[in-house]
Amino acid sequence: MAASFDAIVIGGGHNGLVAAAMLGKAGKRVLLLEAGATLGGAARTVEIAPGFRVSEVAHLVTHLAARVVKDLDLERHGLAFAAPDLATIALTADRRHLTIRRGEVQGEVAEADALAWARLHARLLRFAGVLAPLMAETPPRLDPGDRASGLRLGRLGLSLRRMGRPDMRELLRLVLMNIADVLNEEIEDDRLKGAIAFDAVLGTASGPLSPGSLLSYLYRLAGGVVGPAERVLPPKGGMGGVINALELAARAATVEIRTSAPVARILIEGLRAKGVTLASGEELRADMIVSAANPRSTLLDMVGARHLETDDVRRLTSIRMKGAAAKLNIALDGLPEFSGLDARQMGERLLIAPSVRAVERAFDPVKYGEVPAEPAMEMVIPSLAEPALAPAGKHVLSAIVLYAPYAPKAGLDAARAGMLDACLARLERHAPGFRKLVRHADLLLPADIEARCRMPGGHWHHGELAVDQLLWLRPFQTAAQYRAPIDGLWLAGAGSHPGGNVMGLAGANAVRAILAEEAKS
């Protein structure tokens, strides 16, 4: 006889763990199934060489929702950070590095630019503050008969009105603009504009000149409102430390966790999800199936197109989810010396994005399946704050690299080698002698991230963050409130609202929607 549970959660990434823990705390008998040998998905800590440990893909906490941390008591379960906050240092070839901490510019910058950025940043934070409450709740339906959705839309409209007419008009003017035009309207300093533009497009398949890149920057700021308030936090133990705390919270809520348990099929009986079949052939039963996997994998691979409406199949196949970021992890035989930085500054978040034009130039080749000659990069050396991540006297460097093609024309091996060489050349320019310190380097292109993390397209948001793929359109209109178009099946991964980054809100919001639905019946 097949084992039976109240709920089965598919996927042991951070959203799956959040969903499972919250369901367990609500009194459900929960089974969490993870296809891989370890939990975490794109938020794991891995060993890249003997004694060298680093966050495999995601590497900094910027959006982890305060509500999730509190509700699951993650600090009691071991969530900790190796440093209280990291500044962002925008590196330049002439050593005129610029420091930004929580939106405040520090260092040599023209007074006019500092004041202009302060005004613009404050304005964008106000706009993000209006959007932030939407991230922590179920997106409204565009249905006149849905009273709850009508109330949520009404609250949004009231928030917009409270901004005042000038701000409301300005938000409507800016929201579909690109970040480059917005910055160029008010700021002259290329270093500052490059750093802000980098943050606006980080994790997207768009450049600073792409329409809507201002919206992705507002998304980042809004995540900071519900999360660590614009702080950049290196988790103790790497991102695996966050996953360990979530796992302990789930186990404390009596969740049963099984790894190396890939789901082959979601069982559909009488138009309703009733369980799962594992790749091993084992059948498990539950009246509630919650998938934190990619929505395309869940609905097309595990459910099957024959159980879906034709329009929903078309919408699923149309979701844009090809990633454009690479991850570079390096084991170092010593500490590199970045020109113009002191020992303390080496431990901050370092950017190589000297101008908007430089970031856009890095994006251009990727449109044609090629690798950039001068990629833009976000780097941290986590072993400075947490020496246990590397052997004594050694270090690890972790970098997000913009941009990288999903399907390179030259083939994956050639593109990987070419991109690694371009990254090392860029690092050598800012830290002479860097190449001599490299013991091992692991570069993951989007296709590698797809394979290692079971993430179609290698896009860490499970779908591009664009105006046509947000809120009540995420992942598509008939599945935008976490309820899949199959009774008993719910979607709780980054492909649902509000998207990716390690915030936990997709999993938390989905459970709140599930429990609210149960309360009605």
Side-chain angles (χ1 to χ4, degrees), residues 196-277:
I196 302 307
F198 183 97
D199 280 349
V201 298
L202 183 59
T204 73
S206 60
L209 292 174
S210 301
S213 53
L214 186 276
L215 181 61
S216 64
Y217 188 65
L218 290 178
Y219 168 90
R220 180 181 177 87
L221 291 179
V225 171
V226 299
E230 287 200 280
R231 293 163 71 195
V232 178
L233 301 170
K236 194 168 184 180
M239 291 305 296
V242 179
I243 296 303
N244 289 342
L246 286 169
E247 179 184 359
L248 289 173
R251 292 191 185 279
T254 69
V255 174
E256 181 179 335
I257 296 174
R258 291 175 59 178
T259 56
S260 300
V263 172
R265 182 70 60 190
I266 294 173
L267 299 173
I268 309 297
E269 298 175 1
L271 303 179
R272 183 178 178 87
K274 298 294 287 185
V276 302
T277 300

Side-chain angles (χ1 to χ4, degrees), residues 291-310:
S291 177
N294 182 283
R296 188 180 291 171
S297 301
T298 301
L299 292 170
L300 292 185
D301 298 338
M302 298 181 204
V303 171
R306 69 185 184 278
H307 295 294
L308 303 172
E309 297 289 340
T310 302

Side-chain angles (χ1 to χ4, degrees), residues 177-181 197-198 200-202 204-214 216 324 356 359-364 367 402-403 464:
M177 287 179 63
N178 67 62
I179 189 68
D181 286 346
F198 183 97
V201 298
L202 183 59
T204 73
S206 60
L209 292 174
S210 301
S213 53
L214 186 276
S216 64
V356 170
V359 179
E360 186 69 26
R361 275 202 308 264
F363 179 54
D364 285 339
K367 303 172 191 174
L402 301 184
Y403 292 86
E464 189 69 4

Side-chain angles (χ1 to χ4, degrees), residues 385-475:
E386 192 176 358
L389 293 174
K394 315 295 184 182
H395 289 279
V396 288
L397 181 142
S398 174
I400 304 291
V401 184
L402 301 184
Y403 292 86
Y406 171 74
K409 287 194 303 186
L412 282 174
D413 290 341
R416 197 181 295 112
M419 187 139 195
L420 177 58
D421 188 63
C423 291
L424 293 178
R426 202 103 214 246
L427 289 165
E428 182 76 23
R429 200 170 309 146
H430 288 274
F434 187 93
R435 283 181 184 267
K436 294 179 182 178
L437 296 174
V438 176
R439 170 176 293 204
H440 176 81
D442 191 9
L443 179 73
L444 304 180
L445 296 175
D448 299 317
I449 296 172
E450 174 182 69
R452 291 198 189 187
C453 304
R454 292 177 172 83
M455 187 184 295
H459 198 304
W460 63 41
H461 292 292
H462 291 199
E464 189 69 4
L465 293 173
V467 68
D468 61 324
Q469 294 188 174
L470 290 174
L471 292 168
W472 47 80
L473 299 175
R474 189 171 187 88

Side-chain angles (χ1 to χ4, degrees), residues 144-182:
D146 189 326
R147 185 171 180 272
S149 292
L151 289 173
R152 285 197 292 274
L153 285 170
R155 287 200 302 271
L156 175 60
L158 185 59
S159 296
L160 288 169
R161 286 181 63 88
R162 284 174 176 166
M163 290 171 59
R165 188 168 295 176
D167 267 358
M168 185 168 65
R169 285 176 174 170
E170 181 70 353
L171 173 58
L172 294 175
R173 181 181 78 88
L174 294 179
V175 71
L176 296 182
M177 287 179 63
N178 67 62
I179 189 68
D181 286 346
V182 174

